[in-house]
Amino acid sequence: QIQLVESGGSLVQAGGSLRLSCAASGRSNGMGWFRQAPGKEREFVAAISYIGGGTYYAESVEGRFTISRDNAKNTVYLQMDGLKPEDTAVYYCAADLFRSAQQMSSLKTAGSWGQGTQVTVSP
């Protein structure tokens, strides 16, 4: 089991930017972000693979969010630009020892989860 600790969530106005960070206790293959808004199911946001750094995004965030990782630090980042009120949610960091980013995006699951960080976008 990989331990994950997120940071960076905050209140921001629409059109603004935030950068989320997630530090992992060890190396993993896929790392990514999911989110859950009140009354809605958890949804996939973005993922990145350890080898090759291939990235995958949900259609709703493509072009606005950028995922990256620092393998030396076992850390993944989510740069969120052009934020919209509909981006308001608890954002969860996810990691998987074996699944790739593509598998995390298609299966919409992961082996390890962080505790979540709140992102609120005001109109």
Side-chain angles (χ1 to χ4, degrees), residues 3-88:
Q3 306 301 316
L4 303 168
V5 178
E6 305 107 329
S7 61
S10 183
L11 170 65
V12 64
Q13 287 190 332
S17 298
L18 279 177
R19 189 193 195 206
L20 305 182
S21 300
C22 173
S25 60
R27 203 187 94 171
S28 63
N29 188 356
M31 294 189 78
W33 296 89
F34 291 71
R35 68 186 182 186
Q36 187 167 21
K40 295 187 177 181
E41 292 187 354
R42 184 180 65 198
E43 64 174 354
F44 169 79
V45 176
I48 184 168
S49 287
Y50 179 84
I51 298 175
T55 57
Y56 299 84
Y57 295 94
E59 283 188 18
S60 59
V61 307
E62 184 125 36
R64 299 187 297 122
F65 292 9
T66 303
I67 189 170
S68 60
R69 67 189 288 173
D70 184 334
N71 290 335
K73 297 181 179 179
N74 294 321
T75 300
V76 65
Y77 307 95
L78 186 67
Q79 177 66 40
M80 304 185 292
D81 299 316
L83 282 162
K84 304 175 181 179
E86 51 263 44
D87 294 318
T88 295

